Amino acid sequence: AGPMSLECLGNLLRITVSAEYFEDKYLSFSVVDQSGIAWELDEATAAQCGYTVTYSSWSSIEFRASAASCHSHLERDVFTVTIQIKASHTPDMKNATSHLKSASCHYGPWSSRELVCESNYMEVSVRKEVPQPIKDFIQDAPEDWTPVFPEAKAEEASIWQIVFHQPEEKKALLVSDAWSAGYGLNTTDSRIVLRIPHTAAQVHLVEDQGITFSVVRSSTFYKHGWMILMVDTTVACPVDGGDYMNKTITWTVPKYISPLSAGATSFKDVLVEAGVDLHKLSAREMASRKYVLLNDLNAIMMKIPIGAEGGYYKTSVSNGQLGAKYTINLFLEHQWEDNKGGLTRHTIMKEIETPFEQVELAITNNSNLKTRLMNVTVGTFLPDVELVNLTIEGITVSVPEAVQHGYIIYRTRYSNGSKAYIVQVPLDAPSIKKEYMRDDMRAYTLNVTLAFITHPSRETFTVPVITVSAVRDAVLPSVRGFCDGKNLHLLITRGNVDQNWLPFISDWHLTPEAARKYNYSLRDNGTHLAISVPFLSPHVSYEVFHTSGIKASLYLTLKDGITLANRRDFSVSCRFSPSELIQCLPSGTVIITAIKMVGVANLDTSLLVLRDRQCKPSLVTEKTATFKFSVNTCGTTRKFNSTTMTYENEVLYFRPGNDTPVYRLKFVCSYAVKQAVDVQYESKKNPLPHVKPGFGSLALSLKLFKEKSYADPYQESEYPVVKYLREALYFEVELLQPKDARLDLNLDDCWATNSQSQDSLPQWPILINGCENNKDSYRTVFHEVNYNLRVEFPQHLKRFEVRMFTFVQGSTLLQE
């Protein structure tokens, strides 16, 4: 068959070009005249000269030429048209290949008036008729126009001028001016042809029986011998007339409209034929397609079921949504006679397109999990759709470039001409998102956006493809837990699902920075996560306390890095010796750490005390309290035997208002009474220590507290503070700056005055050279400062207690 085929269809020649043959090429159409000159066609030239180039369906391009077209050769009712098609891969048409096609068609007999309504032009062809008496009279007369109408002589064609009858005026154009304005005029020995583009200035719209027509009323004057004759070259073509209801297209064309029947009083139908794509259909063929053709007194009507044979669907895009329109190229030929102009043949070609209808696109997941290949079918699409690119993780790539990302694209065609696209990508491609679901299941998500274009309209639309495949290939992390007497260890072997899981202890995210803060060890090499936590740590749970050991547990949760949902729980439990909690120093100092047990509700470790309730912990955490004291204090008891001296005390916790402890931890320290130790030493003459005086800026504060616990200082708003004689005053002096652990704060002299001025008289010394005033009836008492949450450096604070007194002179009370 080749790339081109031809058909003779009445007064039209159709050459069909295979769009698939010329796929991905730029085309240009030219018409070759009798001299062999090729005239390239653009839209304006085609409409002026009687040519039409259009996509007729998904796979073909149509070229149509009128029998009366500009470059056709008409001889004895046979017209010949030669076209040249050039195809190139570039828009500048370089290195183009040429395809030449010549065709001849027989057409006849011609009617008195022939009207053609094409998609891009209207054409009227009228027979020249000269009355017989005039013919006899002018048979031998010479032709000499020069003295009468010089401008008519200047016109090469026998057509002299055309007069347009506008509603408001008449406008006359010579042939050359009409050509310049885009009209096509030519003449043969027997006929005059006028061709008018639908976009011409003289076209106006007329309504007849509710249907709108494009109408041009005109008269054409031509020379015949020494006479000027006139023919009516009015033409009218329906603009609308298509209606859509109940899945049916109804096309209505009124008959004998007034612009085409001016002056006529009687009409007679000669022939009404209809069809599709310029093919006339018989009554039987129409019935088989469920077409209906009605011809009544005033109008011809065609009814076509939407989707019927003869039409085709084409892709349409509206607001980014994919849809389709049903298109059918209807054809109507109406012949009638009237008592004015004889036989008229009216040929109408009408492309009717239904409104946009959205289409639901199928996306089918055919993934083969055994071969670990995601396989998704997108479609079906009509043949006029082409995939142009893909967007993968925000990057847009062409179809060939998608291979570099692991994507393989196939196009599959079906017998009805439709097609689908198959996207294949390995499960392990970087762009495939992998997510743990449950048990041994992982979800693989393909998320790609396909971009398409339609031909020839070049509308674009996108199809997001998101498909999920569940695969039983999840390898969960496993754990090994152990202890070494001082620490609890968790060694987690990572699986293939936990790359983004985060370690949490309770609701505390265990980051490297957080681990360093608590002196934990956290190491992650990608395949293993190792965590080590000391036995005495804020995040260790203590569950069983027995003389045989303390059960300590570390609970770790791996959480999803995005949703923070719990994914996996691990724990390690070990028994530690109670000796880990106590240190009995040779100096007689005891350091004991009490631990908060699981199950003891609302225990505040800061309120733990020894037997002497004035002995409070020096270091407190949420789960531990550490006491440091001498064996001779805090209510410690001692026992002797022949070899050891044993000191005993208890850590206790009392509920407010209750003298029965709810928590009791008894501990002992034993010292050998007789013990021989060999000590080797040597003496060195070391220089006496000395202190170099220095100068600097110190920031100090002096505060008055309400109680001996030094927990609640008086605020500025509470001054002046009212106290009674001999009532205790609790003072605290603190070095605020600099925060240097090497510095110790020592108080030298401290005195009281009767006014706010420190230099006023009288004065009374409270501290002299760092010691209490031995002349005081109630001497100053120093209080020890221990570590707690408020006190970072105990050596930066001094606390002392003074009994309230007043200044007197003799027996008179002194007041400021």
Side-chain angles (χ1 to χ4, degrees):
M4 291 185 282
S5 61
L6 62 89
E7 287 181 286
C8 296
L9 300 164
N11 58 350
L12 291 170
L13 164 69
R14 176 165 64 193
I15 296 178
T16 303
V17 180
S18 169
E20 189 173 4
Y21 182 86
F22 292 108
E23 190 174 11
D24 299 327
K25 292 181 181 177
Y26 295 87
L27 300 182
S28 72
F29 287 81
S30 300
V31 181
V32 182
D33 63 15
Q34 289 178 267
S35 304
I37 300 173
W39 300 84
E40 187 172 350
L41 297 180
D42 55 22
E43 288 186 13
T45 305
Q48 185 177 31
C49 280
Y51 306 113
T52 303
V53 179
T54 181
Y55 278 77
S56 62
S57 66
W58 306 310
S59 58
S60 59
I61 304 169
E62 268 191 23
F63 170 85
R64 295 195 295 270
S66 166
S69 58
C70 293
H71 309 96
S72 64
H73 175 55
L74 184 61
E75 187 174 355
R76 295 182 181 178
D77 291 337
V78 174
F79 66 95
T80 302
V81 177
T82 302
I83 70 165
Q84 180 187 62
I85 300 176
K86 289 185 177 181
S88 173
H89 289 285
T90 57
D92 58 9
M93 302 307 291
K94 287 185 177 179
N95 303 317
T97 58
S98 294
H99 302 264
L100 203 64
K101 190 75 173 180
S102 183
S104 297
C105 293
H106 180 272
Y107 179 65
W110 292 77
S111 303
S112 299
R113 177 173 60 171
E114 304 230 349
L115 304 168
V116 176
C117 297
E118 254 286 11
S119 61
N120 57 332
Y121 65 86
M122 303 183 289
E123 182 181 273
V124 56
S125 169
V126 182
R127 180 184 297 136
K128 294 180 182 178
E129 294 192 24
V130 181
Q132 186 60 42
I134 296 178
K135 288 182 181 180
D136 297 338
F137 181 76
I138 65 172
Q139 185 173 4
D140 299 321
E143 182 177 12
D144 188 0
W145 288 87
T146 306
V148 186
F149 295 120
E151 67 274 19
K153 178 64 177 177
E155 297 297 319
E156 294 182 4
S158 62
I159 299 177
W160 174 31
Q161 70 176 5
I162 179 169
V163 176
F164 294 100
H165 303 271
Q166 296 286 85
E168 63 280 356
E169 64 176 352
K170 294 182 180 180
K171 183 175 183 179
L173 292 177
L174 295 176
V175 173
S176 56
D177 295 332
W179 271 99
S180 299
Y183 298 97
L185 297 99
N186 60 307
T187 181
T188 67
D189 292 341
S190 59
R191 307 192 70 81
I192 288 177
V193 178
L194 171 63
R195 197 172 300 105
I196 304 167
H198 285 300
T199 56
Q202 308 303 326
V203 174
H204 62 280
L205 301 179
V206 174
E207 191 172 296
D208 192 299
Q209 301 179 42
I211 306 300
T212 303
F213 283 78
S214 289
V215 175
V216 175
R217 292 187 176 93
S218 65
S219 301
T220 301
F221 293 83
Y222 65 96
K223 299 177 292 183
H224 185 82
W226 52 271
M227 298 178 61
I228 295 177
L229 300 180
M230 182 196 77
V231 292
D232 184 356
T233 48
T234 297
V235 63
C237 291
V239 174
D240 52 21
D243 193 17
Y244 319 96
M245 189 176 294
N246 299 325
K247 298 291 184 180
T248 301
I249 297 171
T250 302
W251 182 35
T252 304
V253 180
K255 298 195 297 187
Y256 321 128
I257 66 169
S258 57
L260 299 179
S261 56
T265 56
S266 62
F267 306 92
K268 175 187 175 183
D269 272 351
V270 175
L271 181 70
V272 173
E273 290 184 311
V276 176
D277 291 329
L278 295 175
H279 288 286
K280 297 176 183 178
L281 297 177
S282 65
R284 177 178 294 180
E285 290 172 319
M286 286 196 180
S288 70
R289 299 185 182 192
K290 295 186 170 60
Y291 295 2
V292 176
L293 179 62
L294 301 175
N295 180 19
D296 63 20
L297 187 63
N298 297 312
I300 302 167
M301 183 181 297
M302 283 189 76
K303 293 188 176 184
I304 311 292
I306 294 177
E309 179 187 352
Y312 63 96
Y313 283 96
K314 65 180 180 180
T315 304
S316 181
V317 181
S318 177
N319 296 324
Q321 295 295 316
L322 177 64
K325 296 179 180 180
Y326 175 75
T327 301
I328 189 165
N329 294 302
L330 296 178
F331 159 74
L332 175 67
E333 183 177 302
H334 180 208
Q335 296 185 35
W336 76 88
E337 288 183 338
D338 58 42
N339 60 348
K340 177 192 173 189
L343 182 64
T344 295
R345 187 199 313 266
H346 198 179
T347 303
I348 303 171
M349 284 151 279
K350 181 70 173 178
E351 181 185 70
I352 293 185
E353 185 177 271
T354 61
F356 174 87
E357 187 171 343
Q358 189 170 339
V359 171
E360 293 298 328
L361 193 64
I363 299 176
T364 309
N365 188 352
N366 302 310
S367 297
N368 188 336
L369 303 183
K370 290 183 179 179
T371 60
R372 298 187 62 78
L373 189 67
M374 295 199 83
N375 188 312
V376 178
T377 301
V378 184
T380 57
F381 297 99
L382 295 174
D384 56 355
V385 170
E386 180 188 0
L387 175 64
V388 290
N389 62 53
L390 301 82
T391 300
I392 305 166
E393 294 185 307
I395 300 173
T396 300
V397 296
S398 65
V399 175
E401 291 172 338
V403 177
Q404 301 172 15
H405 295 261
Y407 287 70
I408 301 175
I409 313 297
Y410 296 99
R411 181 181 63 187
T412 180
R413 293 186 182 273
Y414 302 105
S415 57
N416 65 355
S418 62
K419 59 186 173 183
Y421 287 91
I422 299 172
V423 180
Q424 291 185 348
V425 58
L427 289 178
D428 300 314
S431 61
I432 299 297
K433 180 184 176 184
K434 305 164 190 68
E435 188 175 17
Y436 175 64
M437 297 172 63
R438 63 187 178 278
D439 301 330
D440 61 347
M441 302 288 289
R442 274 202 296 179
Y444 289 80
T445 303
L446 167 66
N447 188 344
V448 61
T449 300
L450 309 183
F452 297 87
I453 191 169
T454 64
H455 297 294
S457 58
R458 302 194 70 79
E459 294 178 300
T460 58
F461 64 95
T462 59
V463 177
V465 177
I466 303 175
T467 60
V468 180
S469 296
V471 184
R472 291 185 177 277
D473 67 348
V475 178
L476 296 174
S478 58
V479 68
R480 184 170 71 91
F482 59 96
C483 301
D484 60 6
K486 293 286 187 183
N487 300 280
L488 297 94
H489 303 277
L490 285 173
L491 180 61
I492 299 171
T493 302
R494 290 198 177 276
N496 60 7
V497 297
D498 56 319
Q499 287 76 14
N500 297 317
W501 293 2
L502 305 175
F504 277 77
I505 300 177
S506 298
D507 289 325
W508 179 67
H509 182 197
L510 184 57
T511 63
E513 295 76 15
R516 284 194 294 271
K517 176 181 178 182
Y518 289 96
N519 199 28
Y520 298 171
S521 173
L522 177 66
R523 302 182 303 279
D524 190 350
N525 64 3
T527 61
H528 293 80
L529 176 65
I531 300 169
S532 298
V533 175
F535 162 62
L536 289 176
S537 299
H539 300 96
V540 173
S541 298
Y542 307 100
E543 300 171 356
V544 177
F545 199 126
H546 197 269
T547 54
S548 62
I550 304 164
K551 182 182 177 183
S553 299
L554 176 65
Y555 295 94
L556 182 80
T557 300
L558 294 180
K559 295 189 177 188
D560 189 282
I562 298 175
T563 65
L564 295 183
N566 288 3
R567 290 302 190 189
R568 196 79 167 153
D569 293 314
F570 298 119
S571 66
V572 58
S573 298
C574 297
R575 286 190 178 274
F576 288 85
S577 171
S579 62
E580 294 292 328
L581 302 179
I582 189 167
Q583 296 180 60
C584 301
L585 302 180
S587 62
T589 299
V590 178
I591 301 175
I592 177 73
T593 298
I595 54 178
K596 180 179 179 180
M597 304 299 294
V598 172
V600 181
N602 303 322
L603 189 149
D604 184 351
T605 54
S606 67
L607 299 181
L608 289 168
V609 295
L610 298 179
R611 285 174 178 167
D612 181 352
R613 297 193 190 183
Q614 298 300 317
C615 293
K616 300 183 184 302
S618 58
L619 181 63
V620 174
T621 70
E622 183 184 350
K623 294 184 179 180
T624 65
T626 300
F627 296 82
K628 183 178 180 181
F629 61 97
S630 171
V631 294
N632 297 319
T633 61
C634 296
T636 308
T637 61
R638 61 184 175 181
K639 295 179 182 179
F640 295 93
N641 61 29
S642 59
T643 59
T644 59
M645 180 180 293
T646 302
Y647 294 89
E648 184 180 293
N649 207 327
E650 292 176 301
V651 179
L652 304 169
Y653 183 77
F654 298 91
R655 299 285 187 199
N658 194 331
D659 288 335
T660 302
V662 296
Y663 177 96
R664 186 189 299 269
L665 174 63
K666 183 182 287 188
F667 59 92
V668 296
C669 277
S670 297
Y671 294 90
V673 175
K674 294 180 179 180
Q675 184 176 7
V677 178
D678 293 328
V679 178
Q680 199 172 20
Y681 71 94
E682 61 179 332
S683 66
K684 286 185 178 180
K685 291 185 178 180
N686 293 323
L688 293 174
H690 65 281
V691 177
K692 290 182 179 180
F695 298 92
S697 177
L698 302 177
L700 297 168
S701 73
L702 173 65
K703 294 180 182 177
L704 176 62
F705 283 79
K706 297 177 180 179
E707 295 177 346
K708 188 178 179 181
S709 64
Y710 285 90
D712 189 11
Y714 283 100
Q715 304 299 320
E716 286 188 19
S717 60
E718 297 179 271
Y719 285 93
V721 177
V722 176
K723 292 288 183 179
Y724 296 99
L725 285 175
R726 301 178 184 172
E727 190 174 351
L729 300 173
Y730 300 101
F731 290 98
E732 178 186 89
V733 181
E734 181 180 5
L735 173 62
L736 300 176
Q737 292 292 338
K739 296 285 188 181
D740 189 339
R742 297 172 298 174
L743 297 179
D744 280 358
L745 174 65
N746 292 295
L747 300 181
D748 193 6
D749 295 313
C750 182
W751 65 93
T753 66
N754 198 33
S755 70
Q756 293 186 4
S757 173
Q758 65 180 15
D759 298 323
S760 64
L761 297 174
Q763 297 181 353
W764 185 256
I766 295 171
L767 298 177
I768 301 173
N769 296 324
C771 298
E772 64 269 22
N773 184 356
N774 55 16
K775 294 182 180 180
D776 258 339
S777 301
Y778 298 94
R779 295 188 180 184
T780 301
V781 177
F782 288 96
H783 293 295
E784 185 179 2
V785 181
N786 295 312
Y787 291 100
N788 60 34
L789 294 177
R790 188 173 76 84
V791 178
E792 183 178 5
F793 302 111
Q795 66 270 30
H796 287 187
L797 285 87
K798 285 293 183 287
R799 291 172 177 169
F800 55 90
E801 175 186 336
V802 178
R803 296 290 175 171
M804 184 65 187
F805 66 90
T806 186
F807 289 94
V808 295
Q809 185 172 7
S811 59
T812 305
L813 178 68
L814 295 179
Q815 294 184 348
E816 183 185 5

